[in-house]
Amino acid sequence: QVQLIESGGGLVQAGGSLRLSCAASGDTVSRYVISWFRQAPGKEREFAAAISRSGSTTTDEDSVKNRFTIDRDNANNTVYLQMNALKPEDTAVYFCAADENRYYSMSRSPADYAYWGQGTQVTVSL
């Protein structure tokens, strides 16, 4: 089974950028759908972006479209989330997760993901 470790979070001013990394071990990351979710205090975990086994991607249209981009580096067995034009409402713990049951489709439900990292904190200040 795959193990996931997130990194790259931190404190950034509004309008700034961060690049989160999700490093996989124990298996090849391209064998999974990998998604990024985020969870703010007192709120439910919400979908941000996903990349399928074939490399197609999708992002949440309402909250992060045109600001966040997901991509995968097979050589380094890592998935990235590039976050631009950050807003205070992007403040959350960001998690990456792996789903081994889908190929082309990408679920936006946390319940469909069996493997999770420990999360990385992103804080966006005014």
Side-chain angles (χ1 to χ4, degrees):
Q1 65 184 34
V2 68
Q3 293 85 46
L4 305 173
I5 299 178
E6 303 95 335
S7 63
L11 174 64
V12 63
Q13 287 189 328
S17 298
L18 283 174
R19 184 170 174 83
L20 305 184
S21 298
C22 174
S25 62
D27 204 346
T28 303
V29 70
S30 59
R31 292 186 65 249
Y32 298 82
V33 170
I34 303 292
S35 288
W36 285 95
F37 291 84
R38 62 185 186 178
Q39 189 166 20
K43 295 187 177 181
E44 294 186 352
R45 195 164 296 189
E46 65 176 14
F47 172 82
I51 185 164
S52 74
R53 297 195 199 190
S54 65
S56 59
T57 64
T58 187
T59 57
D60 182 82
E61 293 192 358
D62 292 335
S63 62
V64 306
K65 187 178 182 181
N66 297 326
R67 299 189 299 122
F68 289 12
T69 304
I70 187 171
D71 66 287
R72 185 176 68 207
D73 182 343
N74 291 335
N76 289 312
N77 215 28
T78 300
V79 172
Y80 301 97
L81 184 68
Q82 178 67 42
M83 307 187 295
N84 299 325
L86 283 163
K87 306 174 182 180
E89 51 263 44
D90 294 319
T91 295
V93 178
Y94 284 71
F95 300 88
C96 63
D99 171 14
E100 61 187 344
N101 294 319
R102 291 166 180 78
Y103 193 96
Y104 295 107
S105 63
M106 292 164 276
S107 173
R108 299 181 178 217
S109 170
D112 288 330
Y113 291 80
Y115 308 104
W116 291 82
Q118 82 289 347
T120 185
Q121 175 71 47
V122 171
T123 303
V124 184
S125 64
L126 289 170

